[in-house]
Amino acid sequence: MITLENLTRAVIGSFEGVPEARRRELLQELVRALHGFARQTGLTHAEWRAAIAFLHRVGAMSNDSRSEFTLLSDVLGLSSLVDLVGSQPGATPGSVLGPFHTAGSTWFDNPADLVRDNTGERVCLEGQVLDTAGRPLPQATLDFWQNADNGLYWQVDPSQPQDNLRCRLRADDQGRYRIITIRPQPYCIPTDGPVWFDVVEPAGRTAWRPAHFHLIVEAPGHHSLITELFDEEDPHLATDAVFGVRDALVGRYVPGADGLPTMHVDFKLAAA
Ligand code: BEZ
Ligand code: FE
């Protein structure tokens, strides 16, 4: 018979038959953590029901181009924790994917110019993709996205063309990349959904994220890197709503050869 004392053991044991070891471990440790939480806090039936209703609202707000579930993970620091746990020694650290990555960006020639009709300060992001020993990775690819001068991503701003300020590109034979774009702006995480109303706002926390570029950098035989680059002049670096800032990801714009403010960042990928 089930009792308060043996329930957790019984549920963990019920997953013993999951054939795949990693899946079994994840399910059993999830049960252990959830039960530990409910036991420690004395979670009430009303609180449990409210949490389920909250998750329903989070699901109702999520779709292919906007994931309120990802946002929930971000504001709880879980996304950052996963990135840091998975960061490879000697490689560029990871940082949050965020809710605005959409797969399948258009391939641009390298150097890429994304400015088009965007207002804002023209800047350049450039550098090299390297292995952890500093050797160039000429087969690297970069998936890039950022917000527009009004702080918004195209998915939430009907005034922007679809796919504004995002691209994929291939590094050159020295692993080099160069993207001409506009300086991204500090940005508020979405404040129109349950994550804001039920989690972030009641804590008196800020909605601001410091300005950033997003990149996914990949090369054959190497761990993929999902990361962000921040602007050292940004006033929100210390209070990022989603805990994404790492020292190694803060860059500085300096005048480039062509006069454009240029942020130079090399990415290091670890061998898989
Ligand atoms: C972003 O980078 O745009 C973002 C990341 C996490 C939550 C919300 C927005
Ligand atoms: Fe972002």
Side-chain angles (χ1 to χ4, degrees), residues 123-127 144 177-180 213 215 229 263 265:
V123 298
C124 171
L125 172 66
E126 64 172 26
F144 172 94
Y177 72 93
R178 183 170 156 86
I179 301 169
I180 314 291
F213 300 115
L215 293 114
L229 299 174
M263 186 185 283
V265 178

Side-chain angles (χ1 to χ4, degrees), residues 100 145 153 187 209 212 214 228:
F100 296 117
W145 68 107
Y153 288 81
Y187 161 80
R209 296 214 64 207
H212 54 273
H214 288 277
E228 303 179 280

Side-chain angles (χ1 to χ4, degrees), residues 3-48:
T3 65
L4 179 61
E5 285 67 38
N6 70 17
L7 171 62
T8 302
R9 246 190 340 270
V11 181
I12 289 173
S14 75
F15 289 110
E16 239 356 273
V18 174
E20 208 244 300
R22 177 63 174 162
R23 181 182 289 233
R24 182 168 67 243
E25 178 188 8
L26 291 175
L27 284 167
Q28 291 181 322
E29 291 306 318
L30 177 65
V31 170
R32 203 186 309 280
L34 283 174
H35 283 224
F37 169 77
R39 288 176 188 276
Q40 267 167 33
T41 58
L43 190 69
T44 67
H45 203 274
E47 290 162 345
W48 169 80

Side-chain angles (χ1 to χ4, degrees), residues 97-174:
L97 176 68
F100 296 117
H101 176 251
T102 309
S105 276
T106 303
W107 289 97
F108 277 55
D109 288 337
N110 179 18
D113 187 337
L114 303 184
V115 177
R116 297 191 168 169
D117 292 335
N118 285 280
T119 56
E121 185 184 2
R122 248 178 120 83
V123 298
C124 171
L125 172 66
E126 64 172 26
Q128 238 177 331
V129 185
L130 307 166
D131 68 12
T132 52
R135 289 178 296 242
L137 291 172
Q139 287 169 24
T141 59
L142 300 98
D143 188 343
F144 172 94
W145 68 107
Q146 68 163 93
N147 62 6
D149 200 41
N150 63 3
L152 299 176
Y153 288 81
W154 67 269
Q155 290 96 328
V156 290
D157 181 7
S159 77
Q160 291 179 46
Q162 186 170 352
D163 298 338
N164 195 29
L165 295 169
R166 72 184 188 111
C167 70
R168 282 184 287 178
L169 74 167
R170 294 184 174 81
D172 72 8
D173 57 3
Q174 292 302 309

